[in-house]
Amino acid sequence: MTANPENPNGMSRKNSSIITTGPSLVVMALILMIQTACSSLFVGKETESPDTSSNSEPGTRSTESLPAYSQTIPGSDVTIEMLPVQGGTFMMGRSTDEDGYENHEGPQRRVNVDPFWMSKHIITWEQYDLFSRELLEIEFTDNLLDEFGIEADAIITPSPPYGDEAYGMGRETDHPAVSMTHFAAVVYTMWLTAKTGKFHRLPTEAEWEYACRGGTSTTYFFGDDPSDLDEYEWYRGNSGSRYHRTGSKQPNPFGFFDMQGNVTEWTMDEYLEDYHDVLEGDVADNPWFRPESLYPRAVRGGHWNENAEDIRCTKRRGSSGQWSRSDPQIPKSMWWHTNAPFVGFRIIRPAETPSREEIMEYWIEPMLEF
């Protein structure tokens, strides 16, 4: 089955049809889980003794040498490989004199990002299904609600997707999870935080582009010649109208796979057309624009159904109500997009754990769409 491509000109639904519900019970219960199981998160900085052995969870917060590690999701044998990004200052955006320049991709600005770890690959179905099917719907609802005194019939859990969320492109090991909403991706990071005791979230636009570039300043992280694209990314020219296993092409200089193609990726930001113009300071420090509306949210990179010129680190766009246009439910699902089999996400873990107040800012309120 061939997936439907996005409608890049699709308009968002009117604001009058979108209602902010405030923190849902699923979010409230997850916060309670974090407070109960992960109290060390709210100290502000971790003080564990360093452990940099192979495939072990690092306790150090040294910005000089962050080790790579493999995070096992507790209660399973599923792992997420995490690679270090040392942080620094870079030129974000696309040069105005570059061929094909688009206004929403520039002008270039100097931006600083702090050190973090990022998942080596896009989150896969194997990693996502632990959250959406096994734990959130079964273990969380049946066991944890009683523990926190929340009535099970009041909680909003992920509804079954309307149709095949993979659009027939495969759910085997290492295939990228797609079609989830921005809210679902955020709640996944909350769940992972509660499960592991380590703060995880989506990357900001700035963090994502910094990691994608991998220390380069060219159109693509491998240079300016699109003829080399087949070695690194899946796109319309080689994908066969479907996504592919993560890690099946060459990585970027930082070791990340599928950053420019295969599936486009959610970030923490609201999408702003004039993003680069509204950055503050000569060097913008860790910019993040917290979403205040359901649409548009910022996604980065290209995907399997786009042309070579769109498979680049500066590619950005906003989500749209068109991504759920086939959803017959009222309200529409907060968890799945029926028409976005091209969007997925990866996660980051900041090198320095934020304060409790800062962490709470990242938990985006759910919004219902009718």
Side-chain angles (χ1 to χ4, degrees), residues 206-262:
E207 291 164 337
W208 188 95
E209 185 172 326
Y210 184 79
C212 182
R213 286 185 175 278
T216 69
S217 58
T218 48
T219 301
Y220 309 96
F221 59 67
F222 53 80
D224 293 311
D225 187 356
S227 65
D228 295 328
L229 193 58
D230 282 357
E231 297 181 30
Y232 296 92
E233 303 293 355
W234 294 107
Y235 66 108
R236 182 175 291 173
N238 64 6
S239 69
S241 299
R242 60 185 301 118
Y243 60 54
H244 290 263
R245 291 181 183 272
T246 60
S248 54
K249 294 290 187 178
Q250 296 298 310
N252 80 349
F254 282 177
F256 296 107
F257 290 85
D258 303 294
M259 288 293 290
Q260 296 178 147
N262 208 7

Side-chain angles (χ1 to χ4, degrees), residues 5-11 320 322-323 325 339 342:
E6 67 174 303
N7 177 2
N9 298 315
M11 298 297 291
S320 164
Q322 287 290 309
W323 293 11
R325 63 184 179 273
N339 303 87
F342 46 79

Side-chain angles (χ1 to χ4, degrees), residues 13 46 146 155 201 216 299:
R13 301 186 184 277
E46 295 183 10
D146 288 340
I155 196 163
R201 60 172 171 82
T216 69
V299 294

